[in-house]
Amino acid sequence: MARSQQLGKAQYETLAAFRYALRQFIRFSEEAAQAAGITPQQHQALLAIKGFPGRDRVTVGELAERLQLRHHSAVGLIDRLVAQKLVTRAPSATDGRQVLVGLTGRGETALERLSAAHRRQLKQIAPELSQLLKQLGCVNE
Amino acid sequence: MARSQQLGKAQYETLAAFRYALRQFIRFSEEAAQAAGITPQQHQALLAIKGFPGRDRVTVGELAERLQLRHHSAVGLIDRLVAQKLVTRAPSATDGRQVLVGLTGRGETALERLSAAHRRQLKQIAPELSQLLKQLGCVNE
DNA sequence: CTATTTATATCGTAACGCGATATAAGTCAA
DNA sequence: TTGACTTATATCGCGTTACGATATAAATAG
């Protein structure tokens, strides 16, 4: 009986299949964003803003954290979004240091369509992903 | 009752949370690879080779497809892996045009450790991911 | 023998985020 | 009020990666 640290061929295949599925999803997402006329990163940002827990505007720092970016990389991303009129900046009322970023009408529209498509896609691949996650969990434990 | 195309705040939050979880996993993976002394892309390649269904050596074209890369981008990636003695090239016996790429001992070792860590991490986050996938599927349908 | 497939090679390009560093403005606590 | 900290902005060059375009070589297949 193999020790739990030792991975067999099946485990490698499962891990690889999981990453393969993720890459395909990400590729789908990138192509959908490009087709919608925005970059994948911009799409990610719109979703992170609109989908922020309990709010629909976020500070620059919050966005950076949600996107796993450095602060000043987020600033640059927001600059590009503002230039495309997809989001707006507004100073926070409660803390003058903070800037709140929210979607414009254009941003909302773009995100709506993309999100519907993503939800459809995810529903398609969810069974496979769940299956792979389950496989990773239960063998050789 | 909202139409299935219309997404509510909750759906955006779920989509965003899913992407956030993915980004965190990917970041974990990147840091693990760097800590192991290889680039994230090299790690992906090692896994794709060792985890290829039914085999543990793959052609350049197969690797490109599994990594969702262009053919000649895969060639470059393999060049770097060979330079680091993580994989070897060998001509295919059955088709002289093809080149089979397989892991060296060093490659095996690096991948083993990384894969064990990844499996642990995935087991941790699997419940959350599954939950999010389920949420995406069942509401407003 | 010709057309196709597979891999390799080279070139420049483009995107993206990073580290380093600096500035400005607001907050907060002593 | 002063001084330390936080937050956002700005600028610089760098490094990594993958890409398109294009060409070549070798092997296969019809």
Side-chain angles (χ1 to χ4, degrees), chain A residues 4-5 7 9 12-13 15-16 18-20 22-25 27 29 44 47 50-55 65-68 111-112 115-116 118-120 122-123 126 129-130 133 136-137 139 141, chain B residues 4-5 7 9 12-13 15-16 18-20 22-25 27 29 44 47 50-55 65-68 111-112 115-116 118-120 122-123 126 129-130 133 136-137 139 141:
Chain A
S4 74
Q5 282 286 43
L7 299 181
K9 171 70 173 157
Y12 284 115
E13 290 192 7
L15 276 173
F18 181 70
R19 298 302 283 248
Y20 183 47
L22 284 191
R23 277 190 291 268
Q24 288 185 121
F25 170 65
R27 154 156 289 213
S29 180
Q44 295 296 296
L47 180 59
K50 177 87 175 186
F52 195 83
R55 252 183 298 148
E65 203 283 324
R66 291 295 278 191
L67 295 181
Q68 301 276 292
L111 181 61
E112 252 175 56
S115 294
H118 277 73
R119 188 164 168 241
R120 257 179 267 126
L122 278 173
K123 281 167 77 164
L129 285 180
S130 294
L133 286 170
L136 278 168
V139 192
E141 200 50 30
Chain B
S4 73
Q5 283 287 39
L7 300 180
K9 171 70 173 157
Y12 284 114
E13 290 192 6
L15 276 172
F18 181 70
R19 298 301 283 247
Y20 183 48
L22 284 190
R23 277 189 292 268
Q24 288 186 121
F25 170 64
R27 152 158 290 214
S29 180
Q44 294 296 296
L47 179 60
K50 177 88 175 184
F52 195 83
R55 252 183 299 150
E65 202 283 324
R66 291 294 279 191
L67 296 181
Q68 301 275 294
L111 181 61
E112 250 175 58
S115 293
H118 277 72
R119 188 163 168 241
R120 257 178 268 123
L122 278 173
K123 280 166 81 163
L129 285 180
S130 295
L133 286 170
L136 278 168
V139 192
E141 202 50 31

Side-chain angles (χ1 to χ4, degrees), chain B residues 45-75:
Chain B
L46 293 181
L47 179 60
I49 295 165
K50 177 88 175 184
F52 195 83
R55 252 183 299 150
D56 62 353
R57 300 200 305 174
V58 301
T59 68
V60 178
E62 285 168 341
L63 184 61
E65 202 283 324
R66 291 294 279 191
L67 296 181
Q68 301 275 294
L69 294 179
R70 294 288 156 186
H71 196 112
H72 72 311
S73 300
V75 171

